[in-house]
């Protein structure tokens, strides 16, 4: 039996948050404020429904998880 939707959404949101954290630069120097604003806008949390749909659909079609994760992050951004 599959897991409840709430559990699946939470697990996926955590994976997306971690991937976005790794992808978004922290910046230093004169661009630090810009990068901080980008990170604030993108890492605000939420259900991450769009990336969830990407990950679930990619699983149905046997897409490599690492590739699907990058696409899910791109869709979320």
């Amino acid at each position: 039996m599959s897991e409840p939707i709430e559990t699946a959404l939470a697990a996926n949101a955590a994976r997306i948050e971690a991937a976005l954290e790794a992808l978004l630069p922290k910046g230093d120097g004169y661009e630090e404020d810009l990068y901080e604003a980008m990170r604030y806008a993108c890492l605000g949390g939420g259900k991450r429904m769009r990336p969830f749909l990407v990950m679930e659909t990619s699983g149905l079609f046997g897409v490599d998880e690492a590739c699907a994760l990058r696409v899910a992050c791109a869709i979320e951004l």
Side-chain angles (χ1 to χ4, degrees), residues 2-76:
S2 63
E3 61 188 329
I5 188 75
E6 294 84 9
T7 305
L9 277 170
N12 188 70
R15 285 190 341 201
I16 296 299
E17 284 287 324
L20 287 172
E21 177 74 36
L23 288 170
L24 291 170
K26 293 203 176 173
D28 57 355
Y30 63 90
E31 73 272 358
E32 184 175 3
D33 290 341
L34 173 62
Y35 287 138
E36 186 59 35
M38 289 169 37
R39 292 174 58 79
Y40 177 80
C42 295
L43 297 174
K47 292 181 183 148
R48 306 282 189 204
M49 184 61 76
R50 290 177 295 265
F52 175 77
L53 294 173
V54 170
M55 296 302 291
E56 291 298 309
T57 303
S58 67
L60 291 174
F61 291 99
V63 176
D64 179 62
E65 189 172 326
C67 293
L69 190 58
R70 293 293 292 245
V71 172
C73 286
I75 294 293
E76 191 64 6

